[in-house]
């Protein structure tokens, strides 16, 4: 016996066709949803990690039982006194300012040479070995020679910082200017683009994300070099101030300077990351 026409059509319509989204809502597995609700936010996990580090630091200092080890509470108590000192901010600006100026100088020179190494085979062949050798050279080993050439002056620190920042920017910019999709160059040749259009419209734009990555490396290297020059050459700055405070057993005050330098690098790298996400949304990592 055949089924009624209305009943048959209803049964057919109730079955969704292949590839057709079903109108019935799909339930999320209760276990997965429960785990997502129970997971704490990322900022809380980072905060707890920082608290754990401070606790371990304090426990380690107590186990060693040495009065000359900086402790978290002692560093926190020394912050107001250190920040109230005008000399501290003069030393901080001397070090941080040299890093800023040196990175800018190194970035300008490194961008030019990096683009040339990426686009001109003869320049790449000539400079690659020298750049690689200088990149692996510990800058601390060159500082005594620089003091003989330039004296125990802030100019020695600036030159050393600029050279430290110059090398990673050259390497990353050269990689970025070479890593151009072949389709871009084919289209540029098809439309008879001029040389400066290829260099600045394609190569430079493609190298900008690599340049930002090089800047993030350069800032950290430059700060280490600036502090090393102040240690070895006695150039006034926050690094030299930290050395003097350590020698006079002012460990908590010295650690405040270390924290300030660390926060500077973290803030500069975070600012570069925000700039990349804001102005280069098409570039993802």
């Amino acid at each position: 016996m055949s089924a009624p026409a209305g009943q048959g059509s209803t049964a057919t319509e109730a079955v969704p066709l292949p590839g057709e989204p079903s109108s019935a809502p799909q339930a999320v597995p209760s276990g997965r949803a429960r785990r997502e609700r129970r997971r704490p936010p990322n900022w809380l996990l980072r905060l707890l990690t920082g608290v754990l580090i401070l606790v371990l630091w304090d426990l380690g200092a107590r186990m060693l039982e040495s009065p000359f080890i900086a402790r978290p509470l002692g560093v926190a108590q020394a912050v107001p006194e250190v920040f109230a000192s005008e000399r501290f901010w003069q030393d901080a600006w001397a070090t941080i300012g040299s890093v800023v100026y040196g990175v800018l100088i190194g970035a300008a020179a490194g961008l030019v040479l990096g683009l040339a190494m990426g686009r001109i085979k003869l320049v790449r062949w000539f400079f690659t070995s020298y750049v690689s050798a200088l990149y692996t050279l510990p800058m601390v080993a060159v500082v005594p020679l620089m003091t003989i050439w330039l004296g125990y002056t802030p100019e020695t620190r600036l030159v050393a910082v600029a050279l430290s920042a110059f090398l990673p920017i050259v390497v990353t910019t050269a990689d970025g200017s070479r890593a151009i999709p072949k389709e871009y160059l084919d289209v540029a040749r098809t439309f008879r683009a001029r040389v400066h259009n290829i260099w600045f419209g394609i190569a430079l734009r493609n190298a900008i994300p690599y340049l930002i990555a090089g800047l993030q490396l350069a800032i950290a290297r430059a700060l280490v070099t600036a502090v090393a020059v102040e240690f070895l050459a006695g150039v006034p700055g926050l690094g030299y101030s930290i050395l003097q405070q350590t020698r006079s057993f002012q460990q908590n005050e010295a650690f405040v300077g270390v924290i300030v330098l660390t926060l500077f690098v973290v803030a500069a790298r975070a600012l570069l990351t925000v700039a990349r996400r804001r102005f280069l949304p098409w570039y993802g990592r």
Side-chain angles (χ1 to χ4, degrees):
M1 178 181 291
S2 61
Q7 183 179 357
S9 60
T10 303
T12 304
E13 292 175 357
V15 180
L17 297 176
E20 181 180 357
S22 176
S23 58
Q26 296 181 357
V28 180
S30 59
R32 178 181 176 184
R34 193 179 300 112
R35 287 194 300 269
E36 291 180 354
R37 286 195 300 267
R38 290 179 179 177
R39 179 183 177 182
N42 293 333
W43 66 266
L44 181 59
L45 294 176
R46 294 173 182 173
L47 179 62
L48 292 176
T49 302
V51 172
L52 178 61
I53 293 175
L54 293 178
V55 171
L56 293 177
W57 176 10
D58 188 73
L59 290 177
R62 293 179 183 276
M63 290 176 61
L64 293 175
E65 297 181 352
S66 174
F68 304 114
I69 297 179
R71 297 184 180 182
L73 183 59
V75 174
Q77 293 174 347
V79 168
E81 179 182 356
V82 174
F83 280 7
S85 172
E86 184 179 355
R87 179 62 183 272
F88 172 81
W89 295 111
Q90 292 176 352
D91 292 337
W93 170 245
T95 302
I96 295 176
S98 67
V99 171
V100 173
Y101 292 142
V103 169
L104 291 177
I105 296 172
L111 178 62
V112 173
L113 182 58
L115 284 175
M117 289 177 61
R119 301 307 307 156
I120 303 176
K121 184 179 295 186
L122 180 61
V123 176
R124 182 168 62 252
W125 177 84
F126 186 79
F127 282 99
T128 298
S129 299
Y130 297 102
V131 171
S132 301
L134 289 175
Y135 189 80
T136 58
L137 178 68
M139 193 57 57
V140 178
V142 188
V143 171
L145 298 176
M146 288 186 175
T147 57
I148 297 176
W149 302 335
L150 303 173
Y152 295 86
T153 61
E155 285 74 17
T156 302
R157 178 179 55 197
L158 182 61
V159 172
V161 168
L163 183 59
S164 296
F166 167 77
L167 295 172
I169 292 175
V170 169
V171 174
T172 55
T173 305
D175 292 339
S177 58
R178 289 188 64 189
I180 302 175
K182 185 176 180 298
E183 295 79 6
Y184 293 179
L185 298 177
D186 292 340
V187 172
R189 296 190 186 99
T190 301
F191 286 92
R192 298 182 180 181
R194 298 183 179 181
V195 176
H196 68 273
N197 296 126
I198 297 178
W199 275 65
F200 300 105
I202 299 178
L204 179 59
R205 288 174 64 89
N206 195 77
I208 287 178
Y210 295 82
L211 173 63
I212 293 177
L215 284 172
Q216 291 180 327
L217 294 174
I219 291 173
R221 286 172 56 97
L223 182 62
V224 171
T225 301
V227 174
V229 173
E230 293 171 2
F231 280 178
L232 298 176
V235 178
L238 198 53
Y240 184 73
S241 176
I242 292 172
L243 180 63
Q244 294 299 317
Q245 290 172 341
T246 303
R247 288 175 175 175
S248 60
F249 303 103
Q250 297 176 343
Q251 308 297 325
N252 295 324
E253 290 78 3
F255 214 90
V256 174
V258 174
I259 293 176
V260 169
L261 294 178
T262 304
L263 291 178
F264 164 72
V265 175
V266 172
R269 291 170 63 94
L271 183 62
L272 289 172
T273 302
V274 171
R276 176 178 59 81
R277 293 176 179 175
R278 172 66 177 83
F279 299 104
L280 303 174
W282 47 267
Y283 181 80
R285 284 191 179 274

